[in-house]
Amino acid sequence: RKEVEQDPGPFNVPEGATVAFNCTYSNSASQSFFWYRQDCRKEPKLLMSVYSSGNEDGRFTAQLNRASQYISLLIRDSKLSDSATYLCVVNMDTGRRALTFGSGTRLQVQP
Amino acid sequence: SQTIHQWPATLVQPVGSPLSLECTVEGTSNPNLYWYRQAAGRGLQLLFYSVGIGQISSEVPQNLSASRPQDRQFILSSKKLLLSDSGFYLCAWSPGTGIYNEQFFGPGTRLTVL
């Protein structure tokens, strides 16, 4: 089983749609969680951290379910500029001080 | 504010040639530094990380090595490149205090080994 699993997609949605991505992680001792966005041939950029209570940043909402070891990202009112690959990222309590990245979910927002 | 630089941006090298990629961070002290590789259409693979000058941890056995000669400088090297070394190399930093911090990436170096 992969340490961080994501549906690779692609998710093809029309502008204005709401889309949700899910991610599961294997290590129950994981301490922190993030969503990154990666555009084609560019570096990953931090989209948002995921807090235990859930958090929202504009059109983006992240949720964490520790019992199910599950993280989600909801994007409302999709824009063409949201087209990218979304990476689920987990900092596992292994003492490595390193993040574990999912392979990403590709989103294509269409006009 | 903090910035992270990588160079070169792109590189085409023959098999068997040496490699040196450089990464520098500005605007912070004692950062944790990381080297990742992303093969075409694949996820990020952690290669090395460093918590201080001269301190390098290797994640996977390979023909690559890393060094940290200065607090905010991280270098990835190889004596002889293989075809399988082709990929997108990303340097990242995170604050040195605390273990569970987010990481910030440089623009990357796209390496093609022919």
Side-chain angles (χ1 to χ4, degrees):
Chain A
R1 182 185 173 188
K2 289 184 182 177
E3 292 180 296
V4 179
E5 286 207 69
Q6 294 183 251
D7 181 343
F11 284 56
N12 295 304
V13 302
E15 270 188 292
T18 295
V19 61
F21 304 137
N22 302 318
C23 166
T24 57
Y25 59 95
S26 61
N27 189 337
S28 61
S30 298
Q31 295 291 328
S32 55
F33 311 88
F34 310 96
W35 283 101
Y36 280 72
R37 170 196 169 125
Q38 186 173 23
D39 292 291
C40 188
R41 299 178 70 81
K42 297 286 189 181
E43 75 273 24
K45 293 187 177 177
L46 179 66
L47 180 65
M48 57 197 304
S49 301
V50 185
Y51 304 126
S52 295
S53 56
N55 47 302
E56 186 175 310
D57 183 2
R59 298 181 292 109
F60 299 84
T61 301
Q63 295 282 349
L64 169 64
N65 184 323
R66 284 190 183 271
S68 301
Q69 295 177 209
Y70 169 99
I71 307 159
S72 66
L73 176 68
L74 184 77
I75 305 176
R76 290 181 299 277
D77 188 23
S78 299
K79 313 288 184 193
L80 293 175
S81 58
D82 292 334
S83 298
T85 297
Y86 290 83
L87 306 174
C88 175
V89 184
V90 177
N91 195 323
M92 300 190 175
D93 185 17
T94 63
R96 288 160 68 243
R97 300 180 184 242
L99 301 178
T100 302
F101 285 77
S103 297
T105 298
R106 197 155 71 86
L107 172 65
Q108 185 66 48
V109 181
Q110 295 163 337
Chain B
S1 65
Q2 300 86 9
T3 55
I4 177 168
H5 305 278
Q6 283 186 250
W7 64 92
T10 60
L11 193 59
V12 180
Q13 293 284 99
V15 168
S17 63
L19 174 74
S20 181
L21 303 181
E22 190 161 343
C23 170
T24 58
V25 181
E26 295 177 357
T28 187
S29 296
N30 196 31
N32 296 327
L33 296 173
Y34 309 85
W35 279 112
Y36 290 88
R37 176 171 60 203
Q38 187 174 37
R42 307 287 295 276
L44 274 74
Q45 179 188 33
L46 179 66
L47 301 175
F48 301 95
Y49 70 95
S50 171
V51 299
I53 296 174
Q55 300 178 63
I56 308 294
S57 296
S58 174
E59 286 292 301
V60 293
Q62 59 209 328
N63 68 323
L64 299 171
S65 62
S67 62
R68 185 169 177 176
Q70 300 181 51
D71 181 45
R72 289 170 289 176
Q73 184 185 29
F74 205 22
I75 297 171
L76 183 69
S77 303
S78 174
K79 292 181 180 177
K80 287 188 177 182
L81 284 168
L82 307 172
L83 285 174
S84 57
D85 291 325
S86 293
F88 190 35
Y89 287 82
L90 290 154
C91 181
W93 76 275
S94 68
T97 54
I99 301 176
Y100 308 117
N101 296 310
E102 60 269 26
Q103 293 177 13
F104 302 95
F105 287 84
T109 295
R110 199 162 296 278
L111 171 66
T112 303
V113 182
L114 301 175

